[in-house]
Amino acid sequence: MRLGINLGYFGAGYDADNLAVAKEAERLGYAVCWAAEAYGSDAATVLSWVAAQTERIDIGSAIFQIPARMPAMTAMTAATLDTLSGGRFRLGLGVSGPQVSEGWYGVRFDKPLARTREYVEIVRKAMRRERLEHHGAHWELPLPGGPGKPIKLIVHPVREHIPLYIAAVGPKNLELTGEIADGWLGIFFAPEHGEESLAHVRAGREKAGLTMDGFDVVPTVSVVLGDDPVAAADAVRDNAALYIGGMGSREQNFYNRLAVRMGYEKEAAEIQDKYLAKDYAGAARAVPYDLLDKTALLGSKERIADRLHAYADAGVTTLTVTPTADTLDGRIATLRTVVEALELSGRG
């Protein structure tokens, strides 16, 4: 099992620290450095900045939001980042959510699976430098009745096939990810429940005539060091409450549904009720410790080593970590501890 680092969002005042974290991750042998975007910093600019100041570590978008860019622009960006980094780019895509898609980008959040399938088809066709022609429900290239004509990417990418990942939560999206992607970007992944998600991915692979060989399973997990794992869990309560309670509407929250599928139906409802009522502290308190313990790395190096062993046994091939320490020294210490724990687990 390999390790990755997720730098999250930029612009919060810790950007210089984030670069130091990326450089230390590279020195420690981490395989990939991911950057995120929502409705603040964009991932492409951040990744070019990190790539310019590193040499070996891969850079990845986790994620580029599908409603934010036309697929041809995503292909151009991917080709550019891969060229600038010397073939180190990984393209992570996701549909975002209805509030961001419609409220920020003005793109209807309808038929996300069909939209993702078409998007990936166009991106890959453009990356292969084929003349771009596509006739689908969501994109028509070139537009009919006008001056447009099928054209192809001018530049020659370093790699014709850039590894493509999809951020998926629901069963149907997981199956689509297995069918059309090279890897899965997961969230709130618990080894104890991993087979349920991976069964859908595996079904998609089989549908495409493929096996899981070479498919990258990449969940992101927060890491909190400390002698008391129960106390450590408090550092990730707010984030869990945000996703389960407030990332989407009452009717459409993929993370809330995931918590329900994991067996926390009553707790998920309470978290959402309190969060939507703006009782954020109450929502955080309502997140059960058991859920946090299963989906984050909490406690001592030895305890984390045991959990890393469980992640590897569950089929994880790249574990992306998010250090939650407040200081740069603390984040770097977390990176080093995770490496030591992986060595201790014997699954590195």
Side-chain angles (χ1 to χ4, degrees):
M1 186 171 69
R2 299 173 296 274
L3 294 174
I5 172 72
N6 195 320
L7 300 178
Y9 307 110
F10 274 56
Y14 305 105
D15 296 352
D17 286 358
N18 276 339
L19 181 60
V21 168
K23 288 182 173 180
E24 180 63 12
E26 178 176 66
R27 191 189 71 80
L28 291 169
Y30 280 65
V32 58
C33 174
W34 306 93
E37 64 182 22
Y39 42 98
S41 57
D42 76 287
T45 305
V46 170
L47 291 172
S48 64
W49 182 63
V50 172
Q53 300 178 77
T54 54
E55 297 178 355
R56 299 176 307 279
I57 194 169
D58 280 5
I59 55 168
S61 55
I63 44 117
F64 283 168
Q65 297 164 296
I66 285 175
R69 298 171 181 83
M70 289 296 180
M73 172 53 77
T74 292
M76 292 166 59
T77 304
T80 305
L81 284 169
D82 203 47
T83 300
L84 291 175
S85 66
R88 291 188 283 142
F89 179 61
R90 306 187 191 187
L91 174 59
L93 299 171
V95 292
S96 189
Q99 291 176 322
V100 173
S101 182
E102 299 192 10
W104 187 248
Y105 295 117
V107 175
R108 288 292 178 198
F109 193 82
D110 60 342
K111 300 181 179 177
L113 299 180
R115 184 180 294 272
T116 299
R117 183 185 292 277
E118 285 192 35
Y119 198 95
V120 170
E121 288 176 1
I122 297 169
V123 168
R124 284 194 156 148
K125 184 177 290 187
M127 289 296 301
R128 293 193 298 267
R129 300 192 70 246
E130 297 177 13
R131 293 200 177 274
L132 198 52
E133 187 170 357
H134 179 87
H135 307 288
H138 299 279
W139 285 277
E140 183 78 19
L141 299 170
L143 287 174
K149 63 180 182 178
I151 54 179
K152 65 181 179 180
L153 192 67
I154 297 172
V155 300
H156 291 260
V158 175
R159 294 178 295 171
E160 184 178 280
H161 185 91
I162 291 174
L164 189 148
Y165 296 72
I166 294 175
V169 178
K172 292 182 179 179
N173 203 6
L174 287 166
E175 184 173 332
L176 178 68
T177 298
E179 181 185 351
I180 68 174
D182 302 301
W184 167 45
L185 299 174
I187 188 172
F188 294 119
F189 181 96
E192 293 81 1
H193 300 279
E195 179 52 32
E196 178 185 344
S197 295
L198 289 177
H200 297 296
V201 174
R202 195 175 296 111
R205 301 295 286 172
E206 292 171 355
K207 186 176 180 180
L210 301 168
T211 69
M212 293 294 288
D213 290 346
F215 186 86
D216 204 6
V217 177
V218 191
T220 296
V221 299
S222 296
V223 186
V224 189
L225 304 180
D227 296 329
D228 181 0
V230 176
D234 289 339
V236 292
R237 283 188 178 279
D238 288 346
N239 186 65
L242 166 64
Y243 276 81
I244 297 170
M247 198 65 79
S249 64
R250 184 179 295 278
E251 296 76 22
Q252 200 168 32
N253 182 320
F254 306 119
Y255 310 101
N256 190 280
R257 294 175 189 171
L258 175 60
V260 171
R261 291 197 299 273
M262 292 171 66
Y264 301 100
E265 182 175 2
K266 179 181 177 181
E267 295 88 343
E270 181 182 359
I271 294 165
Q272 188 175 66
D273 286 344
K274 290 183 175 179
Y275 201 95
L276 295 181
K278 298 187 178 181
D279 180 9
Y280 304 129
R285 288 193 300 270
V287 180
Y289 166 72
D290 184 62
L291 186 153
L292 297 172
D293 189 35
K294 286 178 177 177
T295 57
L297 295 173
L298 309 173
S300 66
K301 177 172 66 178
E302 292 73 20
R303 194 172 191 274
I304 289 172
D306 287 341
R307 292 301 289 166
L308 290 176
H309 198 287
Y311 274 99
D313 285 350
V316 173
T317 52
T318 302
L319 188 72
T320 296
V321 301
T322 302
T324 59
D326 294 329
T327 66
L328 174 58
D329 287 345
R331 293 173 71 191
I332 287 178
T334 300
L335 289 181
R336 294 171 180 167
T337 299
V338 173
V339 170
E340 293 169 0
L342 184 60
E343 293 173 352
L344 188 62
S345 75
R347 299 308 303 268

